[in-house]
Amino acid sequence: MAISKDVTISEIAARANVSIATVSRVINQAGNIKAETKQKVLQAMAELGLNPSTYCGIKAPADSRSILVCLPNFQNPFNADVIEGIQNAAMARGYRTFFYAASDLRFSLYEYEKIIDQNNFCGLLLVHNVLDTEQLNKIKLKYPVVMCSEHCNLPDVSFVSIDDVYSSQIAVNYLLSIGRSRIALINSQLTNAYARFREKGFLSALNKAGLQANNNWILHITEIDFDIAVSVITSLLKGADRPDAIYCVSDVYGAAAIKAIQNYGLRVPEDIAVVGFDNISLSKMVVPALTTINQPKKQLGHQACEILINLIENPSTPPQHILLDTELIVRSST
Amino acid sequence: MAISKDVTISEIAARANVSIATVSRVINQAGNIKAETKQKVLQAMAELGLNPSTYCGIKAPADSRSILVCLPNFQNPFNADVIEGIQNAAMARGYRTFFYAASDLRFSLYEYEKIIDQNNFCGLLLVHNVLDTEQLNKIKLKYPVVMCSEHCNLPDVSFVSIDDVYSSQIAVNYLLSIGRSRIALINSQLTNAYARFREKGFLSALNKAGLQANNNWILHITEIDFDIAVSVITSLLKGADRPDAIYCVSDVYGAAAIKAIQNYGLRVPEDIAVVGFDNISLSKMVVPALTTINQPKKQLGHQACEILINLIENPSTPPQHILLDTELIVRSST
């Protein structure tokens, strides 16, 4: 309800004809309050479109359970929507979510294990790549664990992800269909499973079309960072031989490609077409707007969190390996 | 060290001539390992540029302390840098940070109090506006609390923020100096302290220049959302009377202004100049790049977290109210 978004405690107080302090005490279930006064406050909340049970400690009982959600960092805008999906699923099931970024991803699972040992978390949701499957194996014997966005090859760890190989093929086939055949790939480091799979899809689509990939046009960027990507892509443009399309495994790289191409005095899409990946809001903000592969970001987070909660509540739930659908969104950069 | 970023457990194992499992056990301080074997692993880590003490449980002792950091959500890219500053400060002092977004900001402080009551957090860092100062007063008697980015008027709660009034005056004075006098304001809801202060600065700068603000050109957007902002700004452009500059209190609104103006067939900056706020990376990604007010985002987070840790370690630390410097960054949108 849009109206309830703007209700403040002072409005509740005004409507109930009590002080703000009284509204506070009712919400906080603290102090002595006459039943009649309490009823007036609850009534006012309901009239203002608020569900009193949501705000008066009923939905968040003292034993409310908590999930630890681990991300590589909070910089990649892709994760903002994944987080929203996780939060919504957790809230609907009465769980709280706490977000944590490891100080060093290579050793992160040791850190998470310590954190869960020391705290009240009842499950672990991993929103990043795991290299150390031995340690993951160890943790999953102690605590419910589910992976979101990325996945690993342990058959008994559930994950929700996308088909990266197929999605790359869709992107490359589309570029081929509009007459581009000199296609560069801007990828992340191959330590990320998604990067390996997307590169595989890129190569197989070219191969299927009878084309040979140009190894000078396959670049791996150390982190999803706009400035780094601009300089890497600029060096690509300086080569004697130049691509007529750039396929980027992230919209951040795609935005950087547009910037680098335009800075270099070339036009998007006339000289070089650009395709991104993720469909984050940035892809609509840049000019020209970015053609991209949509990932169902909120759904990835939502479904992974639901599977984790099912596992928490019923440890015998069988593992699930889910690949959600992606889709090509054509905009002006191609 | 760039090299150490790429070291994996298998490389450590190869160099030490032991199994991956052995490296795991050393890092995890688990199981029986011969002193000689352990020494080989630590030696290999050191040779690969890793500090063994960082990874072998020394830096994260069993009693590692945790800080609860509360945000309105994870969607505003401004907060990604603030978070990084918080994490860096906490890590340097041996604290862990857990990030939490309230389900409803109006009642968030009740939720935080319950969470801290039930968990091991030793301090609360608020990265959002607080309306309910009575409840804040109550929490701060129980737990160390510091505010970051936003601030409230309780004299004994420390905060680190910026001078919003002055920053707005800088932005408006700059637009006046380049010959624009018909200036619109795209603001957030006035329930946010920053929005009230930035509007105050906007009005006072116009007033000082002998100009009258046009109330039809002062718009308040419900949340920091690109799509909502585009539609609100488009309706502004449709008016018979049109501004020659738009001052936006967020770069997200600034990017939306550029998009709306270009969609409408007008040019930035020739027809309408645009100024944003925050200097998030988005401001460099859009074309034309956005003139904006830089906020020292990492420093805001870093300093607020340091003050909180000082307060945790010495409860008699006097409150500090710190305003960090902002600066105007001129780019092509003006």
Side-chain angles (χ1 to χ4, degrees), chain A residues 4 7 24 27-28 55 62 75 81 84 87 97 99-101 104 106-107 110 118 120 138 227 259 284 287, chain B residues 4 7 9 24 28 55 62 75 81 84 87 97 99-101 104 106-107 110 118 120 138 227 259 262 284:
Chain A
S4 82
V7 178
S24 271
I27 292 171
N28 203 28
Y55 302 111
Q75 290 286 355
D81 280 342
E84 206 174 301
Q87 288 177 315
T97 42
F99 296 85
Y100 185 80
D104 190 315
R106 288 164 300 166
F107 306 101
Y110 300 95
Q118 292 161 25
N120 298 325
K138 191 182 153 210
D227 293 325
K259 182 67 114 187
K284 287 184 293 183
V287 180
Chain B
S4 82
V7 179
I9 289 193
S24 270
N28 203 29
Y55 302 111
Q75 291 286 355
D81 281 343
E84 207 173 299
Q87 289 177 314
T97 42
F99 296 84
Y100 185 80
D104 190 314
R106 289 164 299 166
F107 306 102
Y110 300 97
Q118 292 160 24
N120 299 325
K138 190 182 154 208
D227 292 325
K259 183 66 116 186
Q262 290 174 339
K284 287 184 292 182

Tab-separated table of all heavy atoms in Angstrom, chain A residues 4 7 24 27-28 55 62 75 81 84 87 97 99-101 104 106-107 110 118 120 138 227 259 284 287, chain B residues 4 7 9 24 28 55 62 75 81 84 87 97 99-101 104 106-107 110 118 120 138 227 259 262 284:
chain	number	residue	atom	x	y	z
A	4	SER	N	0.651	3.628	3.191
A	4	SER	CA	1.299	3.268	4.449
A	4	SER	C	2.777	3.630	4.459
A	4	SER	O	3.371	3.811	5.503
A	4	SER	CB	1.125	1.789	4.740
A	4	SER	OG	2.078	1.039	4.032
A	7	VAL	N	3.351	6.852	6.466
A	7	VAL	CA	2.839	7.020	7.824
A	7	VAL	C	4.014	7.135	8.799
A	7	VAL	O	4.958	6.363	8.743
A	7	VAL	CB	1.969	5.808	8.219
A	7	VAL	CG1	1.477	5.974	9.653
A	7	VAL	CG2	0.802	5.670	7.265
A	24	SER	N	5.292	4.660	20.880
A	24	SER	CA	6.569	3.946	21.023
A	24	SER	C	6.438	2.774	21.990
A	24	SER	O	6.914	1.680	21.719
A	24	SER	CB	7.651	4.890	21.557
A	24	SER	OG	8.307	5.530	20.509
A	27	ILE	N	4.456	-0.087	20.436
A	27	ILE	CA	5.232	-0.814	19.425
A	27	ILE	C	6.312	-1.649	20.094
A	27	ILE	O	6.574	-2.786	19.726
A	27	ILE	CB	5.870	0.185	18.426
A	27	ILE	CG1	4.772	0.829	17.591
A	27	ILE	CG2	6.886	-0.518	17.533
A	27	ILE	CD1	5.267	1.976	16.742
A	28	ASN	N	6.898	-1.065	21.113
A	28	ASN	CA	8.016	-1.706	21.794
A	28	ASN	C	7.564	-2.700	22.857
A	28	ASN	O	8.385	-3.361	23.476
A	28	ASN	CB	8.880	-0.611	22.426
A	28	ASN	CG	10.296	-1.069	22.655
A	28	ASN	OD1	10.791	-1.926	21.932
A	28	ASN	ND2	10.925	-0.521	23.666
A	55	TYR	N	4.441	-4.724	13.399
A	55	TYR	CA	5.283	-3.739	14.070
A	55	TYR	C	5.344	-3.915	15.573
A	55	TYR	O	6.065	-3.216	16.256
A	55	TYR	CB	4.799	-2.330	13.741
A	55	TYR	CG	4.823	-2.099	12.263
A	55	TYR	CD1	3.658	-1.964	11.533
A	55	TYR	CD2	6.037	-2.098	11.593
A	55	TYR	CE1	3.701	-1.806	10.159
A	55	TYR	CE2	6.085	-1.945	10.230
A	55	TYR	CZ	4.915	-1.796	9.513
A	55	TYR	OH	4.974	-1.652	8.159
A	62	ALA	N	11.308	-13.193	19.880
A	62	ALA	CA	12.618	-13.153	20.531
A	62	ALA	C	13.552	-14.220	19.966
A	62	ALA	O	14.761	-14.066	20.002
A	62	ALA	CB	12.454	-13.335	22.027
A	75	GLN	N	30.106	-3.932	-3.959
A	75	GLN	CA	30.328	-2.979	-5.049
A	75	GLN	C	29.585	-3.352	-6.338
A	75	GLN	O	29.238	-2.472	-7.107
A	75	GLN	CB	31.836	-2.863	-5.347
A	75	GLN	CG	32.648	-2.168	-4.262
A	75	GLN	CD	32.456	-0.658	-4.218
A	75	GLN	OE1	31.781	-0.086	-5.050
A	75	GLN	NE2	33.044	-0.019	-3.221
A	81	ASP	N	20.017	-6.429	-6.389
A	81	ASP	CA	18.729	-7.080	-6.647
A	81	ASP	C	18.687	-8.500	-6.080
A	81	ASP	O	17.647	-8.952	-5.598
A	81	ASP	CB	18.436	-7.118	-8.149
A	81	ASP	CG	17.910	-5.790	-8.654
A	81	ASP	OD1	17.461	-4.977	-7.834
A	81	ASP	OD2	17.950	-5.577	-9.885
A	84	GLU	N	17.850	-8.173	-2.548
A	84	GLU	CA	16.439	-7.871	-2.319
A	84	GLU	C	15.592	-9.141	-2.383
A	84	GLU	O	14.697	-9.346	-1.561
A	84	GLU	CB	15.958	-6.834	-3.340
A	84	GLU	CG	14.778	-6.029	-2.830
A	84	GLU	CD	14.407	-4.902	-3.779
A	84	GLU	OE1	15.267	-4.044	-4.051
A	84	GLU	OE2	13.253	-4.887	-4.249
A	87	GLN	N	16.180	-11.083	0.842
A	87	GLN	CA	15.484	-10.460	1.979
A	87	GLN	C	13.989	-10.748	1.943
A	87	GLN	O	13.376	-11.040	2.977
A	87	GLN	CB	15.701	-8.946	1.953
A	87	GLN	CG	17.114	-8.532	2.338
A	87	GLN	CD	17.313	-7.030	2.229
A	87	GLN	OE1	16.905	-6.423	1.242
A	87	GLN	NE2	17.946	-6.448	3.221
A	97	THR	N	18.124	-11.699	7.793
A	97	THR	CA	19.317	-11.932	6.981
A	97	THR	C	20.398	-10.916	7.336
A	97	THR	O	20.131	-9.716	7.421
A	97	THR	CB	18.988	-11.792	5.480
A	97	THR	OG1	18.139	-10.656	5.299
A	97	THR	CG2	18.301	-13.023	4.953
A	99	PHE	N	24.292	-9.680	6.179
A	99	PHE	CA	25.164	-9.749	5.012
A	99	PHE	C	26.600	-9.502	5.428
A	99	PHE	O	26.883	-8.589	6.203
A	99	PHE	CB	24.697	-8.737	3.958
A	99	PHE	CG	23.324	-9.065	3.447
A	99	PHE	CD1	22.188	-8.622	4.122
A	99	PHE	CD2	23.156	-9.872	2.337
A	99	PHE	CE1	20.913	-8.962	3.685
A	99	PHE	CE2	21.888	-10.215	1.893
A	99	PHE	CZ	20.771	-9.763	2.568
A	100	TYR	N	27.491	-10.326	4.889
A	100	TYR	CA	28.885	-10.286	5.294
A	100	TYR	C	29.767	-10.421	4.063
A	100	TYR	O	29.464	-11.206	3.164
A	100	TYR	CB	29.157	-11.443	6.266
A	100	TYR	CG	30.547	-11.427	6.846
A	100	TYR	CD1	30.850	-10.582	7.897
A	100	TYR	CD2	31.549	-12.233	6.326
A	100	TYR	CE1	32.131	-10.542	8.428
A	100	TYR	CE2	32.834	-12.200	6.849
A	100	TYR	CZ	33.111	-11.350	7.901
A	100	TYR	OH	34.374	-11.307	8.422
A	101	ALA	N	30.831	-9.641	4.001
A	101	ALA	CA	31.798	-9.778	2.905
A	101	ALA	C	33.109	-10.273	3.483
A	101	ALA	O	33.648	-9.672	4.413
A	101	ALA	CB	31.985	-8.443	2.195
A	104	ASP	N	38.975	-12.035	2.522
A	104	ASP	CA	39.748	-12.641	1.442
A	104	ASP	C	38.988	-13.888	0.972
A	104	ASP	O	38.869	-14.863	1.703
A	104	ASP	CB	41.149	-13.018	1.944
A	104	ASP	CG	42.056	-13.422	0.791
A	104	ASP	OD1	41.622	-14.193	-0.088
A	104	ASP	OD2	43.203	-12.956	0.777
A	106	ARG	N	39.595	-16.328	-0.927
A	106	ARG	CA	40.245	-17.635	-1.005
A	106	ARG	C	40.106	-18.416	0.289
A	106	ARG	O	40.078	-19.638	0.302
A	106	ARG	CB	41.732	-17.466	-1.336
A	106	ARG	CG	41.998	-17.030	-2.753
A	106	ARG	CD	43.400	-16.526	-2.863
A	106	ARG	NE	43.608	-15.390	-1.973
A	106	ARG	CZ	44.782	-14.905	-1.643
A	106	ARG	NH1	45.863	-15.471	-2.097
A	106	ARG	NH2	44.881	-13.863	-0.862
A	107	PHE	N	40.056	-17.666	1.413
A	107	PHE	CA	40.019	-18.341	2.703
A	107	PHE	C	38.707	-18.088	3.418
A	107	PHE	O	38.572	-18.304	4.612
A	107	PHE	CB	41.212	-17.879	3.547
A	107	PHE	CG	42.505	-18.073	2.812
A	107	PHE	CD1	43.130	-17.011	2.195
A	107	PHE	CD2	43.042	-19.345	2.690
A	107	PHE	CE1	44.305	-17.209	1.483
A	107	PHE	CE2	44.218	-19.545	1.975
A	107	PHE	CZ	44.849	-18.477	1.370
A	110	TYR	N	36.734	-20.637	5.816
A	110	TYR	CA	37.246	-20.808	7.178
A	110	TYR	C	36.662	-19.726	8.080
A	110	TYR	O	36.299	-19.971	9.224
A	110	TYR	CB	38.776	-20.739	7.190
A	110	TYR	CG	39.404	-21.809	6.341
A	110	TYR	CD1	39.780	-21.564	5.037
A	110	TYR	CD2	39.559	-23.100	6.847
A	110	TYR	CE1	40.327	-22.559	4.248
A	110	TYR	CE2	40.107	-24.103	6.069
A	110	TYR	CZ	40.494	-23.829	4.766
A	110	TYR	OH	41.022	-24.815	3.994
A	118	GLN	N	30.455	-19.214	16.261
A	118	GLN	CA	30.398	-18.264	17.377
A	118	GLN	C	29.056	-17.558	17.503
A	118	GLN	O	28.812	-16.843	18.471
A	118	GLN	CB	31.466	-17.177	17.195
A	118	GLN	CG	32.884	-17.656	17.325
A	118	GLN	CD	33.858	-16.677	16.690
A	118	GLN	OE1	33.565	-15.497	16.570
A	118	GLN	NE2	35.016	-17.171	16.289
A	120	ASN	N	24.588	-17.140	16.242
A	120	ASN	CA	23.344	-17.908	16.215
A	120	ASN	C	22.807	-18.169	14.816
A	120	ASN	O	21.627	-18.438	14.650
A	120	ASN	CB	22.265	-17.144	17.008
A	120	ASN	CG	22.667	-16.979	18.456
A	120	ASN	OD1	23.296	-17.869	19.023
A	120	ASN	ND2	22.310	-15.849	19.043
A	138	LYS	N	33.147	-29.747	4.336
A	138	LYS	CA	33.234	-29.810	5.786
A	138	LYS	C	32.131	-28.954	6.434
A	138	LYS	O	31.448	-29.391	7.369
A	138	LYS	CB	34.618	-29.296	6.207
A	138	LYS	CG	34.935	-29.559	7.652
A	138	LYS	CD	36.289	-28.984	8.041
A	138	LYS	CE	36.288	-28.672	9.523
A	138	LYS	NZ	37.154	-27.546	9.859
A	227	ASP	N	36.483	1.692	-14.179
A	227	ASP	CA	37.699	2.374	-14.637
A	227	ASP	C	38.732	1.400	-15.209
A	227	ASP	O	39.349	1.680	-16.242
A	227	ASP	CB	38.331	3.175	-13.496
A	227	ASP	CG	37.454	4.341	-13.080
A	227	ASP	OD1	36.807	4.935	-13.961
A	227	ASP	OD2	37.400	4.645	-11.877
A	259	LYS	N	31.852	3.732	-23.160
A	259	LYS	CA	32.668	4.909	-22.819
A	259	LYS	C	33.994	4.886	-23.589
A	259	LYS	O	34.394	5.891	-24.193
A	259	LYS	CB	32.910	4.921	-21.306
A	259	LYS	CG	33.693	6.109	-20.788
A	259	LYS	CD	32.919	7.405	-20.939
A	259	LYS	CE	32.557	8.018	-19.620
A	259	LYS	NZ	31.682	9.168	-19.707
A	284	LYS	N	20.253	0.632	-18.598
A	284	LYS	CA	19.301	1.588	-19.169
A	284	LYS	C	19.784	3.026	-19.019
A	284	LYS	O	19.271	3.930	-19.658
A	284	LYS	CB	17.940	1.460	-18.457
A	284	LYS	CG	17.175	0.213	-18.822
A	284	LYS	CD	15.812	0.209	-18.163
A	284	LYS	CE	15.956	0.073	-16.660
A	284	LYS	NZ	14.646	-0.003	-15.978
A	287	VAL	N	24.032	5.808	-22.569
A	287	VAL	CA	23.550	6.203	-23.892
A	287	VAL	C	24.618	5.819	-24.916
A	287	VAL	O	25.761	6.248	-24.788
A	287	VAL	CB	23.295	7.723	-23.943
A	287	VAL	CG1	22.790	8.117	-25.338
A	287	VAL	CG2	22.281	8.130	-22.893
B	4	SER	N	49.896	-11.830	-4.782
B	4	SER	CA	49.232	-12.663	-3.786
B	4	SER	C	47.744	-12.839	-4.083
B	4	SER	O	47.130	-13.788	-3.641
B	4	SER	CB	49.415	-12.070	-2.395
B	4	SER	OG	48.477	-11.048	-2.179
B	7	VAL	N	47.071	-16.271	-5.674
B	7	VAL	CA	47.539	-17.513	-5.075
B	7	VAL	C	46.344	-18.362	-4.636
B	7	VAL	O	45.419	-17.876	-4.018
B	7	VAL	CB	48.427	-17.214	-3.844
B	7	VAL	CG1	48.886	-18.509	-3.201
B	7	VAL	CG2	49.613	-16.363	-4.248
B	9	ILE	N	44.967	-22.253	-2.896
B	9	ILE	CA	45.406	-23.270	-1.952
B	9	ILE	C	46.219	-24.347	-2.665
B	9	ILE	O	47.196	-24.863	-2.121
B	9	ILE	CB	44.185	-23.881	-1.228
B	9	ILE	CG1	43.617	-22.826	-0.268
B	9	ILE	CG2	44.573	-25.138	-0.464
B	9	ILE	CD1	42.636	-23.362	0.720
B	24	SER	N	44.746	-27.040	4.067
B	24	SER	CA	43.475	-26.721	4.726
B	24	SER	C	43.589	-26.875	6.237
B	24	SER	O	43.131	-26.027	6.995
B	24	SER	CB	42.369	-27.656	4.227
B	24	SER	OG	41.728	-27.122	3.108
B	28	ASN	N	43.176	-24.018	8.936
B	28	ASN	CA	42.031	-24.204	9.823
B	28	ASN	C	42.455	-24.564	11.246
B	28	ASN	O	41.615	-24.691	12.124
B	28	ASN	CB	41.151	-25.314	9.245
B	28	ASN	CG	39.736	-25.216	9.732
B	28	ASN	OD1	39.254	-24.125	10.026
B	28	ASN	ND2	39.074	-26.353	9.822
B	55	TYR	N	45.887	-15.664	7.805
B	55	TYR	CA	45.016	-16.740	7.352
B	55	TYR	C	44.926	-17.906	8.318
B	55	TYR	O	44.192	-18.838	8.088
B	55	TYR	CB	45.485	-17.238	5.979
B	55	TYR	CG	45.485	-16.120	4.988
B	55	TYR	CD1	46.661	-15.609	4.472
B	55	TYR	CD2	44.277	-15.522	4.632
B	55	TYR	CE1	46.636	-14.537	3.600
B	55	TYR	CE2	44.248	-14.452	3.762
B	55	TYR	CZ	45.435	-13.964	3.243
B	55	TYR	OH	45.402	-12.916	2.392
B	62	ALA	N	38.858	-16.391	18.322
B	62	ALA	CA	37.538	-16.939	18.636
B	62	ALA	C	36.621	-15.888	19.239
B	62	ALA	O	35.410	-15.974	19.125
B	62	ALA	CB	37.683	-18.117	19.588
B	75	GLN	N	20.406	-0.909	-2.369
B	75	GLN	CA	20.191	-0.481	-3.754
B	75	GLN	C	20.944	0.793	-4.106
B	75	GLN	O	21.317	0.991	-5.252
B	75	GLN	CB	18.693	-0.282	-4.019
B	75	GLN	CG	17.865	-1.564	-4.034
B	75	GLN	CD	18.078	-2.394	-5.294
B	75	GLN	OE1	18.773	-1.989	-6.214
B	75	GLN	NE2	17.489	-3.581	-5.339
B	81	ASP	N	30.502	2.401	-1.376
B	81	ASP	CA	31.785	2.964	-0.945
B	81	ASP	C	31.810	3.234	0.559
B	81	ASP	O	32.840	3.068	1.208
B	81	ASP	CB	32.080	4.257	-1.708
B	81	ASP	CG	32.614	3.987	-3.107
B	81	ASP	OD1	33.054	2.853	-3.359
B	81	ASP	OD2	32.594	4.910	-3.936
B	84	GLU	N	32.612	0.051	2.158
B	84	GLU	CA	34.022	-0.310	2.038
B	84	GLU	C	34.861	0.411	3.095
B	84	GLU	O	35.756	-0.185	3.715
B	84	GLU	CB	34.526	0.009	0.627
B	84	GLU	CG	35.684	-0.873	0.221
B	84	GLU	CD	36.070	-0.684	-1.243
B	84	GLU	OE1	35.234	-0.927	-2.127
B	84	GLU	OE2	37.220	-0.284	-1.497
B	87	GLN	N	34.217	-1.303	6.440
B	87	GLN	CA	34.901	-2.596	6.520
B	87	GLN	C	36.398	-2.430	6.768
B	87	GLN	O	36.983	-3.144	7.575
B	87	GLN	CB	34.696	-3.381	5.214
B	87	GLN	CG	33.277	-3.903	5.039
B	87	GLN	CD	33.104	-4.598	3.705
B	87	GLN	OE1	33.531	-4.092	2.679
B	87	GLN	NE2	32.463	-5.743	3.707
B	97	THR	N	32.177	-6.882	10.579
B	97	THR	CA	30.989	-6.058	10.339
B	97	THR	C	29.909	-6.890	9.659
B	97	THR	O	30.182	-7.587	8.685
B	97	THR	CB	31.337	-4.859	9.429
B	97	THR	OG1	32.204	-5.306	8.387
B	97	THR	CG2	31.997	-3.756	10.212
B	99	PHE	N	26.063	-6.525	7.947
B	99	PHE	CA	25.206	-5.489	7.386
B	99	PHE	C	23.760	-5.960	7.382
B	99	PHE	O	23.466	-7.094	7.003
B	99	PHE	CB	25.682	-5.132	5.975
B	99	PHE	CG	27.060	-4.527	5.996
B	99	PHE	CD1	28.192	-5.339	6.011
B	99	PHE	CD2	27.225	-3.157	6.085
B	99	PHE	CE1	29.465	-4.791	6.078
B	99	PHE	CE2	28.495	-2.600	6.159
B	99	PHE	CZ	29.611	-3.414	6.161
B	100	TYR	N	22.878	-5.065	7.788
B	100	TYR	CA	21.476	-5.421	7.943
B	100	TYR	C	20.608	-4.293	7.391
B	100	TYR	O	20.911	-3.116	7.590
B	100	TYR	CB	21.182	-5.636	9.432
B	100	TYR	CG	19.778	-6.128	9.706
B	100	TYR	CD1	19.458	-7.469	9.537
B	100	TYR	CD2	18.784	-5.249	10.102
B	100	TYR	CE1	18.170	-7.928	9.763
B	100	TYR	CE2	17.488	-5.705	10.332
B	100	TYR	CZ	17.191	-7.042	10.154
B	100	TYR	OH	15.921	-7.499	10.370
B	101	ALA	N	19.540	-4.652	6.689
B	101	ALA	CA	18.591	-3.638	6.210
B	101	ALA	C	17.263	-3.860	6.917
B	101	ALA	O	16.714	-4.961	6.891
B	101	ALA	CB	18.415	-3.752	4.702
B	104	ASP	N	11.400	-2.116	7.786
B	104	ASP	CA	10.635	-0.876	7.710
B	104	ASP	C	11.377	0.175	8.533
B	104	ASP	O	11.458	0.069	9.755
B	104	ASP	CB	9.224	-1.100	8.255
B	104	ASP	CG	8.325	0.087	7.971
B	104	ASP	OD1	8.759	1.236	8.189
B	104	ASP	OD2	7.201	-0.133	7.517
B	106	ARG	N	10.751	3.061	9.588
B	106	ARG	CA	10.076	3.810	10.655
B	106	ARG	C	10.197	3.124	12.008
B	106	ARG	O	10.182	3.755	13.049
B	106	ARG	CB	8.591	3.995	10.312
B	106	ARG	CG	8.356	4.971	9.191
B	106	ARG	CD	6.970	4.803	8.662
B	106	ARG	NE	6.794	3.445	8.131
B	106	ARG	CZ	5.628	2.909	7.839
B	106	ARG	NH1	4.512	3.576	8.061
B	106	ARG	NH2	5.557	1.692	7.338
B	107	PHE	N	10.259	1.797	11.961
B	107	PHE	CA	10.268	1.048	13.213
B	107	PHE	C	11.585	0.306	13.401
B	107	PHE	O	11.699	-0.590	14.223
B	107	PHE	CB	9.084	0.080	13.229
B	107	PHE	CG	7.791	0.789	12.974
B	107	PHE	CD1	7.192	0.729	11.740
B	107	PHE	CD2	7.213	1.566	13.972
B	107	PHE	CE1	6.019	1.427	11.490
B	107	PHE	CE2	6.045	2.265	13.730
B	107	PHE	CZ	5.444	2.202	12.483
B	110	TYR	N	13.505	-0.379	16.871
B	110	TYR	CA	12.982	-1.444	17.733
B	110	TYR	C	13.579	-2.783	17.312
B	110	TYR	O	13.933	-3.614	18.138
B	110	TYR	CB	11.448	-1.494	17.651
B	110	TYR	CG	10.819	-0.211	18.093
B	110	TYR	CD1	10.433	0.759	17.179
B	110	TYR	CD2	10.634	0.050	19.452
B	110	TYR	CE1	9.882	1.957	17.588
B	110	TYR	CE2	10.085	1.243	19.876
B	110	TYR	CZ	9.715	2.189	18.932
B	110	TYR	OH	9.183	3.369	19.366
B	118	GLN	N	19.685	-10.037	21.291
B	118	GLN	CA	19.746	-11.484	21.070
B	118	GLN	C	21.095	-11.977	20.552
B	118	GLN	O	21.330	-13.162	20.466
B	118	GLN	CB	18.685	-11.896	20.028
B	118	GLN	CG	17.265	-11.752	20.489
B	118	GLN	CD	16.312	-11.699	19.302
B	118	GLN	OE1	16.626	-12.191	18.227
B	118	GLN	NE2	15.154	-11.104	19.498
B	120	ASN	N	25.572	-11.124	19.594
B	120	ASN	CA	26.816	-10.699	20.239
B	120	ASN	C	27.361	-9.378	19.725
B	120	ASN	O	28.532	-9.096	19.888
B	120	ASN	CB	27.877	-11.779	20.025
B	120	ASN	CG	27.457	-13.097	20.645
B	120	ASN	OD1	26.820	-13.099	21.693
B	120	ASN	ND2	27.805	-14.186	19.997
B	138	LYS	N	17.021	5.672	23.897
B	138	LYS	CA	16.917	4.474	24.728
B	138	LYS	C	18.026	3.476	24.362
B	138	LYS	O	18.690	2.919	25.238
B	138	LYS	CB	15.537	3.849	24.495
B	138	LYS	CG	15.206	2.757	25.469
B	138	LYS	CD	13.853	2.144	25.153
B	138	LYS	CE	13.848	0.716	25.682
B	138	LYS	NZ	12.952	-0.159	24.927
B	227	ASP	N	14.163	4.831	-12.592
B	227	ASP	CA	12.958	4.872	-13.431
B	227	ASP	C	11.936	5.881	-12.921
B	227	ASP	O	11.328	6.618	-13.697
B	227	ASP	CB	12.320	3.474	-13.507
B	227	ASP	CG	13.194	2.494	-14.278
B	227	ASP	OD1	13.842	2.915	-15.247
B	227	ASP	OD2	13.230	1.313	-13.896
B	259	LYS	N	18.918	11.357	-19.013
B	259	LYS	CA	18.108	10.456	-19.848
B	259	LYS	C	16.791	11.137	-20.248
B	259	LYS	O	16.408	11.115	-21.425
B	259	LYS	CB	17.842	9.165	-19.056
B	259	LYS	CG	17.081	8.096	-19.797
B	259	LYS	CD	17.871	7.540	-20.971
B	259	LYS	CE	18.192	6.089	-20.806
B	259	LYS	NZ	19.059	5.552	-21.845
B	262	GLN	N	17.399	13.999	-22.800
B	262	GLN	CA	17.757	13.494	-24.138
B	262	GLN	C	16.562	12.803	-24.802
B	262	GLN	O	16.317	12.988	-25.994
B	262	GLN	CB	18.958	12.543	-24.032
B	262	GLN	CG	20.247	13.294	-23.670
B	262	GLN	CD	21.437	12.369	-23.417
B	262	GLN	OE1	21.258	11.191	-23.128
B	262	GLN	NE2	22.637	12.905	-23.495
B	284	LYS	N	30.449	9.044	-13.841
B	284	LYS	CA	31.415	9.019	-14.943
B	284	LYS	C	30.942	8.142	-16.089
B	284	LYS	O	31.468	8.219	-17.193
B	284	LYS	CB	32.761	8.468	-14.442
B	284	LYS	CG	33.508	9.446	-13.569
B	284	LYS	CD	34.872	8.891	-13.194
B	284	LYS	CE	34.704	7.690	-12.276
B	284	LYS	NZ	35.993	7.116	-11.837
